[in-house]
Amino acid sequence: MDSARRWAGVVALAIGIFVLITVEELPIGVLSVMAPDLGVSEGAAGLAVTVPGILAGVVALCTPVLVRGLDRRLVLVLALASVALSCALSVIAPTFAVLLLARLFAGVAIGLYWAVMAIVALGQVPARHAARALTIAFAGAGGALVLGVPVAAWIGTHLGWRLAFAVVGIAAAVVAALILVLVEPVHSPVKVTGSMMLAAARTRGVRYALGLIALAVVGQFLTYSYISPVLIERAGVGLENIGLMLLVFGLAGLVGNFAIGPLVRRSPPAAVLVVVAGIGLSLLAVLTVMDDPQRAIAVMAGWGLCVGAISVAMQAFIGSEASDVLEEATALNSAGFNTAIAIGALIGGLILDAAGLTPMILTSVLMVGGGTLLIGHYLRTSRVPHPAAPLSR
């Protein structure tokens, strides 16, 4: 029974990620209805992704130092409470400025949750089950792409974007209660300091991970943050079918999350190379062949397959290449990811408003291509094979 409860706790963590990804990407799904309602351009509305992403990066970076001896489970509960508050403020926001204020609370939540979730997941099960626990926990990200974001997008386009935020806020409160009941307390055996964070950032694996994030994740979200106008204007997809396209993307992402598992267990760096190269090829397809709804479905499926695998592949990479500084490296990885999402949305919005969709997508292709070359260089210059590590200190 204790074992069953621990695995139920891991599932609860996955549901928490589901909520976090949904609230983070919700503006993407409702962009085309939210922007005109608040009287701003679609490029400007992308700030609803940029602002929380930047804050999330800062919060994730500081979290290991700030929480120190605090039960990491309570950090997750606090994060979900912040999601509920953010959504409540979004529902009543009269202007875009107030919405951005509400999104600050979402940024705090994202930074807190991502910085410690992997550590809590690993603390629920024996070390021999570490890879399985991470795969299940990160499946929540794929689940959000399958169900959370598409459903929220459907609610937003058919019933109103404010109702979509209300539903996510209620879900966050429920999941917070589940985590309190099901998840075992986890305390870090090491009190992380600022100097320890700096030392971790200088390790080879973390340096390459952050460089890869700066290229591949920024490039990915530079275009994905504006997928609604991309689908409408380039592929001729009707506004009422955006949710369906995101559903296809998400279903493929959930498959990718589990499909990458065998390669992750053999070699996390190789898994990252496959995933990033796949994202690059998918973006190239968005640029060159996604010109009607039928092709859009195929491209979104292939793209989602790769994007769905990137979170678990990157966390496994951190676990194998920076296992001696796992908590610090996990926080740096989370900070880098969230900052990259924000920067991608910001750059994408600037290019979209200034030059249009094609230059925006081309920039994504070039950046993700650079990320592919970077991880390829890491593999070529590694002195020893890189089997998956036990992902624990």
Side-chain angles (χ1 to χ4, degrees):
M1 180 61 71
D2 183 61
S3 176
R5 179 182 174 182
R6 286 177 176 271
W7 283 109
V10 174
V11 172
L13 298 177
I15 301 173
I17 284 286
F18 176 96
V19 171
L20 264 291
I21 292 290
T22 301
V23 79
E24 182 174 20
E25 299 192 5
L26 180 52
I28 297 173
V30 300
L31 196 68
S32 295
V33 291
M34 184 179 72
D37 187 48
L38 293 174
V40 296
S41 70
E42 291 179 336
L47 289 171
V49 178
T50 299
V51 169
I54 292 174
L55 182 58
V58 174
V59 171
L61 197 60
C62 299
T63 295
V65 178
L66 294 177
V67 300
R68 295 202 174 186
L70 185 66
D71 178 6
R72 289 346 186 220
R73 175 191 57 166
L74 298 181
V75 176
L76 301 181
V77 172
L78 178 62
L80 289 164
S82 188
V83 170
L85 177 58
S86 173
C87 290
L89 291 174
S90 298
V91 169
I92 63 174
T95 65
F96 186 63
V98 176
L99 179 74
L100 287 183
L101 175 64
R103 295 293 288 170
L104 292 178
F105 291 98
V108 171
I110 294 161
L112 289 174
Y113 202 98
W114 279 98
V116 301
M117 189 279 293
I119 304 297
V120 175
L122 295 172
Q124 303 304 302
V125 299
R128 66 182 183 276
H129 296 312
R132 182 184 301 173
L134 284 179
T135 301
I136 292 173
F138 280 107
L145 296 175
V146 171
L147 185 61
V149 177
V151 168
W154 185 91
I155 293 173
T157 55
H158 290 81
L159 302 176
W161 63 270
R162 296 178 190 275
L163 181 59
F165 276 101
V167 171
V168 175
I170 293 170
V174 172
V175 179
L178 281 176
I179 288 177
L180 270 177
V181 172
L182 296 174
V183 176
E184 293 293 324
V186 174
H187 294 84
S188 174
V190 177
K191 291 186 177 180
V192 178
T193 64
S195 61
M196 291 168 66
M197 293 291 290
L198 289 174
R202 290 193 291 266
T203 63
R204 183 172 186 264
V206 175
R207 282 189 288 110
Y208 270 83
L210 294 177
L212 180 63
I213 289 169
L215 288 169
V217 180
V218 170
Q220 150 69 17
F221 280 91
L222 196 148
T223 290
Y224 181 69
S225 298
Y226 302 95
I227 191 60
S228 292
V230 168
L231 288 168
I232 292 169
E233 296 179 29
R234 291 183 67 90
V237 176
L239 180 62
E240 70 280 2
N241 290 322
I242 295 297
L244 173 62
M245 290 294 175
L246 293 177
L247 176 61
V248 170
F249 184 93
L251 283 170
L254 189 58
V255 172
N257 179 84
F258 288 98
I260 201 66
L263 185 54
V264 162
R265 288 189 285 274
R266 290 183 58 188
S267 172
V272 172
L273 175 61
V274 169
V275 168
V276 174
I279 292 173
L281 291 173
S282 299
L283 284 163
L284 183 60
V286 172
L287 180 66
T288 58
V289 303
M290 197 178 79
D291 54 7
D292 63 45
Q294 289 72 35
R295 290 182 178 180
I297 290 176
V299 172
M300 291 293 285
W303 190 8
L305 187 72
C306 300
V307 173
I310 195 168
S311 293
V312 67
M314 284 298 297
Q315 183 59 47
F317 179 89
I318 289 294
S320 71
E321 310 305 294
S323 57
D324 292 339
V325 288
L326 181 60
E327 184 162 14
E328 303 95 292
T330 297
L332 288 164
N333 181 51
S334 173
F337 246 91
N338 286 291
T339 303
I341 291 170
I343 292 173
L346 176 61
I347 296 174
L350 292 173
I351 298 175
L352 177 63
D353 284 347
L357 290 171
T358 297
M360 181 185 75
I361 302 167
L362 178 59
T363 304
S364 288
V365 172
L366 294 174
M367 292 188 70
V368 178
T372 304
L373 294 176
L374 181 66
I375 189 63
H377 180 266
Y378 181 89
L379 280 165
R380 287 195 305 273
T381 57
S382 296
R383 296 185 180 88
V384 294
H386 292 279
L391 304 176
S392 60
R393 279 191 182 271

